[in-house]
Amino acid sequence: MKTLHLICNSHLDPVWMWDWQEGAASAISTFRQAAKFCDEYDYVFCHNEALLYEYIEEYDPELFKKIQELVKIGKWKIMGGWYLQPDCNLPSGEAFVRQIECGRKYFAEKFGARPTVAVNFDSFGHSVGLVQILAKTGFDGYLCCRPMSWWKKGMAKLPDSEFMWFGKDGSKIKVARIDDISLYSSGFGTAKADIERKAAMYKAKTVGTALWGVGNHGGNPSRKDIRDVNGAIAEGKLGEEECEIRHSTPEEYFAAAKYEKVFERSMQPCLIGCYASMSNVKRTHVQLENALFETEKICSLAYMNGLIGNYPEKTFADAERTLCKFEFHDLLAGTVCQAA
C-alpha cells in the first residue's frame, strides 16, 4: 500500500442506552476536547450529524464559533452532511430525501459546507434504493461499516471492501465498507496498533483508509494516541511497511481509491432480530411520514389558491426535524432504552 488515509472521528449516538440530555452533554464534551486537540496537534477531526451541532449551537455558543473557525481553516471536517445517521431500511424514499435536505441546509447555512460522501457507520444494513437517492442528490460516495462480514444469514456476498454500487435505475455511487472488529473507532491508547490492523486489509491495494478515534458514545483519542499516530506519519511506516500516512477526510480518500468491482443488491439483512421489536415506534413513524407529506400537499394547494394567508413553513420545518430524529438508526430499528 502506498497511501493510508486516516479519518479521525468520534461516533456518538444522540440517544441509545441513554436519553437525549446525556447525548447532548457527551457531544459538548467530545467536541470541546476535539477543538482543543485541533489547536494542540497536527490533526484533523471529522464529524457528521447536524443534530449534534444544533446541541452545541444552543448550549455552548462559544464552542460553536470555535468549530466554525476550525472548519474554515481545514482542521475540522464536516462529513456526511445528513441530519443524523438514520435507519436505512424502513424510511420511505421521500423521508431519506428530507434527512439529506435537513442536514444539507443546516451545514450550508452554519459552515458553508456540502459533503459529497454520505456517512452511515452504524445503520443495520442499507436499501439499494439509497443509490438512486444519493446519486441524484449530489453524492458520489457512501462510507459505512455494516453489515459485518461475519453476518451470513441471507446476506448477499459483497465483492470487496470497496465497490461500485448500482441502483435499480442505473444510478451508481462508490462504496467503502470498513470491516474491522472496532468498526469506526479505535481503543483508548491503542490507536496505532488498531490502525495497523485496519491497514492490513489494504495490503494488496495502493490506497487504504482507517477510521480511528474513541467511540462508542463520544470521546476522543488520548494525547498518546495522537503522538503515536503523528510519529508514524513522520516516519512514513506502519509496522515494517513503508507508506505515506496522512490525516484525511472521506472525500480525499474516495477521490484516491479505485472502485472496480460491482454490487447491484441491497446490503441487507443485518441484525434482523431488532426489526421485530418496538412495533409501536415503527407504526408511529409511518403515521408521521404520511401525515406530514399529506398536510404539506393540502396546505400548498390552499396557499396557491389564496385560501390561507401564510404557508406554515416553520411548523412543517419543526415536524420535518422530528421525523428525522425519529429515524435515528437505533430508535427506529428498536435497539434503545425506554427513555430514548
Side-chain angles (χ1 to χ4, degrees), residues 194-271:
D194 291 336
I195 289 169
E196 287 177 352
R197 184 184 66 249
K198 291 179 176 184
M201 75 171 65
Y202 298 97
K203 200 164 188 180
K205 301 181 180 182
T206 57
V207 179
T209 187
L211 301 175
W212 70 291
V214 174
N216 194 356
H217 199 33
N220 297 98
S222 67
R223 285 183 168 82
K224 175 184 181 298
D225 286 322
I226 298 177
R227 288 194 297 267
D228 287 348
V229 170
N230 283 349
I233 291 173
E235 189 179 0
K237 287 180 69 175
L238 272 179
E240 297 302 314
E241 185 181 1
E242 293 187 3
C243 67
E244 179 190 0
I245 310 164
R246 62 171 70 169
H247 292 299
S248 191
T249 68
E251 279 75 9
E252 290 178 74
Y253 165 64
F254 271 75
K258 306 244 183 241
Y259 298 81
E260 297 170 348
K261 297 186 179 179
V262 171
F263 188 65
E264 298 177 333
R265 295 177 59 180
S266 288
M267 287 192 276
Q268 296 165 322
C270 175
L271 306 177

Side-chain angles (χ1 to χ4, degrees), residues 39-59:
D39 283 340
E40 291 182 18
Y41 297 100
D42 181 10
Y43 161 86
V44 178
F45 184 70
C46 304
H47 207 91
N48 51 324
E49 297 160 324
L51 173 61
L52 299 182
Y53 288 85
E54 286 182 342
Y55 289 153
I56 308 301
E57 184 178 17
E58 181 173 359
Y59 299 116

Side-chain angles (χ1 to χ4, degrees), residues 6 8-9 23 36 42 55 68 86 99 103 122 129-130 156 182 218 223 229 235 238 242 249-250 268 275 281 285:
L6 301 180
C8 186
N9 72 101
K36 189 173 182 181
D42 181 10
Y55 289 153
Q68 287 177 315
Q99 185 72 234
D122 219 19
L130 271 174
S182 65
R223 285 183 168 82
V229 170
E235 189 179 0
L238 272 179
E242 293 187 3
T249 68
Q268 296 165 322
Y275 285 97
V281 172
H285 173 263

Side-chain angles (χ1 to χ4, degrees), residues 7-273:
I7 300 173
C8 186
N9 72 101
S10 181
H11 182 70
L12 173 56
D13 294 329
V15 294
W16 184 39
M17 299 293 108
W18 45 80
D19 58 23
W20 76 265
Q21 290 93 339
E22 183 177 335
S26 186
I28 293 168
S29 173
T30 297
F31 282 24
R32 187 177 290 160
Q33 188 62 54
K36 189 173 182 181
F37 282 167
C38 284
D39 283 340
E40 291 182 18
Y41 297 100
D42 181 10
Y43 161 86
V44 178
F45 184 70
C46 304
H47 207 91
N48 51 324
E49 297 160 324
L51 173 61
L52 299 182
Y53 288 85
E54 286 182 342
Y55 289 153
I56 308 301
E57 184 178 17
E58 181 173 359
Y59 299 116
D60 195 339
E62 287 303 311
L63 174 59
F64 190 77
K65 290 178 185 175
K66 174 65 176 177
I67 294 171
Q68 287 177 315
E69 293 169 4
L70 291 169
V71 169
K72 282 182 183 177
I73 62 174
K75 295 279 288 181
W76 188 298
K77 168 68 178 177
I78 303 294
M79 71 175 182
W82 292 22
Y83 192 72
L84 47 71
Q85 292 188 53
D87 176 79
C88 290
N89 300 296
L90 299 179
S92 67
E94 178 65 22
F96 278 124
V97 172
R98 304 301 180 98
Q99 185 72 234
I100 294 168
E101 180 189 41
C102 277
R104 183 167 279 167
K105 281 183 177 177
Y106 182 81
F107 287 126
E109 178 186 342
K110 304 297 182 178
F111 298 95
R114 186 184 173 101
T116 58
V117 174
V119 172
N120 277 313
F121 291 150
D122 219 19
S123 303
F124 308 147
H126 311 267
S127 166
V128 72
L130 271 174
V131 180
Q132 181 177 348
I133 294 169
L134 287 167
K136 293 186 174 180
T137 53
F139 289 93
D140 57 20
Y142 192 58
L143 183 59
C144 61
C145 295
R146 305 182 192 276
M148 304 75 73
S149 60
W150 52 262
W151 185 269
K152 306 294 186 184
K153 299 176 184 176
M155 177 64 204
K157 182 173 175 57
L158 297 173
D160 198 0
S161 58
E162 299 147 334
F163 53 87
M164 193 66 74
W165 195 17
F166 278 79
K168 297 296 185 182
D169 71 329
S171 297
K172 60 183 179 179
I173 56 166
K174 302 171 183 175
V175 171
R177 187 181 63 84
I178 309 303
D179 189 7
D180 181 79
I181 190 170
S182 65
L183 297 177
Y184 37 71
S185 62
S186 56
F188 191 72
T190 63
K192 185 179 177 184
D194 291 336
I195 289 169
E196 287 177 352
R197 184 184 66 249
K198 291 179 176 184
M201 75 171 65
Y202 298 97
K203 200 164 188 180
K205 301 181 180 182
T206 57
V207 179
T209 187
L211 301 175
W212 70 291
V214 174
N216 194 356
H217 199 33
N220 297 98
S222 67
R223 285 183 168 82
K224 175 184 181 298
D225 286 322
I226 298 177
R227 288 194 297 267
D228 287 348
V229 170
N230 283 349
I233 291 173
E235 189 179 0
K237 287 180 69 175
L238 272 179
E240 297 302 314
E241 185 181 1
E242 293 187 3
C243 67
E244 179 190 0
I245 310 164
R246 62 171 70 169
H247 292 299
S248 191
T249 68
E251 279 75 9
E252 290 178 74
Y253 165 64
F254 271 75
K258 306 244 183 241
Y259 298 81
E260 297 170 348
K261 297 186 179 179
V262 171
F263 188 65
E264 298 177 333
R265 295 177 59 180
S266 288
M267 287 192 276
Q268 296 165 322
C270 175
L271 306 177
I272 55 178

